Amino acid sequence: AGRIWFKTVSEHLSSDANFNDFARGTVAAAGELYGEGGNVPLTVAQAWALVGIGVPLSGKPSPVSNPPHPTLHPSANVAQPLPLAA
């Protein structure tokens, strides 16, 4: 993740960039570093989608179109809070 973030801030952002520019830059940087159309840029785009930021992959529609709340498959392995000690 560090290589993607560094490449994004050093090569993909202008001085007036906003949060959405950063999200798009991370997907572009992931593609440049690990291959366009590969699993890494797709994973980065999906991570943004889970927090409601739709980022297209090389002109393709985003993996999730800005859902109001991320949805997980019922069988997803999600950590549960620990019970409070008495």
Side-chain angles (χ1 to χ4, degrees):
R3 290 182 67 200
I4 294 169
W5 284 58
F6 182 79
K7 186 169 185 68
T8 301
V9 297
S10 62
E11 299 178 23
H12 288 275
L13 299 180
S14 63
S15 61
D16 63 342
N18 61 33
F19 194 75
N20 287 324
D21 296 329
F22 181 78
R24 284 189 298 276
T26 58
V27 174
E32 292 166 13
L33 289 167
Y34 302 103
E36 294 290 336
N39 287 335
V40 176
L42 176 61
T43 300
V44 173
Q46 288 173 332
W48 283 115
L50 284 172
V51 295
I53 306 292
V55 180
L57 293 168
S58 303
K60 299 176 185 172
S62 61
V64 175
S65 180
N66 291 332
H69 301 287
T71 56
L72 298 174
H73 189 275
S75 65
N77 188 10
V78 179
Q80 299 296 316
L82 295 172
L84 297 174

